[in-house]
Amino acid sequence: MSRIDDLITEHCPGGVEFKRLGDIVRIRNGKDHKTLGDGEFPVYGSGGIMRFADTYAYSKPSVLIPRKGSLGNLFFVDVPFWTVDTIFYTEIDETQIRPKFLYYFLATVGLGEMNQAGGIPSQTQSVLNELKIPVPPIEVQREIVRILDAFTELTAELTAELTARKKQYNYYRDQLLSFEEGEVEWKTLGVVTTIKTGQAVNKQIISANPGEYAVINSGREPLGFINEWNTDNDPIGITSRGAGVGSITWKDGKYFRGNLNYSVTIKSEKEIRTRYLYHALQKMQQEIQALCTFDGIPALNAGNLKELQIPIPPLTEQERIVAILDKFDALTNSISEGLPREIELRQKQYEYYRDLLLGFPKPQEVAA
């Protein structure tokens, strides 16, 4: 931070000037992309890249600001691009502000909470133009961008490593759990396990009974935490209804299983290991998805799930497979160890320094 402090003392001892966003950029509307041919230029909507087209709307560095939908989903683009009508692009006066500096600052102002309409979240140019933006000297901006770029590059490297590890896990899982006909015995899931539905729960119940026990319901992430548990040492679950239908969950210890989650409990450890079954079900995700219905609320029928065929090699082979796959699983999926934890820590570190570096006091605050 001393380098930044020295630059500010040298170039703006009276404090950093703030300007209206409308005085340093021109906000432009996107246009329909349906008539464009396919090509090399990214087409952005509020959710990110939608396709690649044969022409572009703007070719200079720009910050893209959603107009509809996910209002906080900012993008920095330094290649020619096209934007649709759900997202603004900015023509930036680079004599006043560096595009990447503007991007980093706008990420701190809470655009995601600045909804200007009911229903679908919306943003307007008139509101954006009035945002107050710190405009320190270019030397200060460059140094801040250099520091924050270093954080984001490290996070990007870790994320790429995580993606590679996940692919590696999937590769070895598929290799280890692929068996030739007659090589192992196959039994239905209903024969080797007991499948049950959890208890009814919702956000109102959780709010009224807060506690330490995770609520596993639809999808992989906890719905919340409650003061009671109904499941102990029964870790495998499969989402039965909702957006995450068919997803496989693993949760150790005591927790509350909701009514949108099936427990899958093995009947005998002498025939099949619980952890082996978890990895086998992960490999069979496509087969499980094929059993789901998507008319109305997505659903997975327990009767259909019970007919899923499971390969059952000898216990020694199951344990060998588990030992290998657990190493990859811990590295890619554990919240307390491995790359996800490292990425989470780096992201927090980046956000801390970003907010610190960009928390300029306004001139009247300096005077006071």
Side-chain angles (χ1 to χ4, degrees), residues 27-77:
I27 299 173
R28 298 293 195 182
N29 290 317
K31 298 179 181 178
D32 185 31
H33 68 101
K34 295 184 180 66
T35 60
L36 305 180
D38 292 332
E40 62 179 298
F41 304 110
V43 176
Y44 280 86
S46 59
I49 295 176
M50 301 169 58
R51 56 171 291 209
F52 290 85
D54 58 355
T55 190
Y56 57 86
Y58 194 63
S59 61
K60 294 181 179 180
S62 181
V63 179
L64 312 186
I65 306 172
R67 186 179 73 86
K68 294 279 188 182
S70 302
L71 302 184
N73 209 20
L74 293 173
F75 302 95
F76 173 76
V77 186

Side-chain angles (χ1 to χ4, degrees), residues 149-160:
D149 275 353
F151 283 112
T152 56
E153 286 168 11
L154 177 57
T155 301
E157 290 174 2
L158 291 170
T159 302

Side-chain angles (χ1 to χ4, degrees), residues 278-293:
Y278 169 75
H279 288 298
L281 291 173
Q282 291 280 18
K283 179 184 182 296
M284 304 177 77
Q285 190 72 70
Q286 287 188 343
E287 290 96 319
I288 294 172
Q289 286 293 317
L291 299 174
C292 301
T293 59

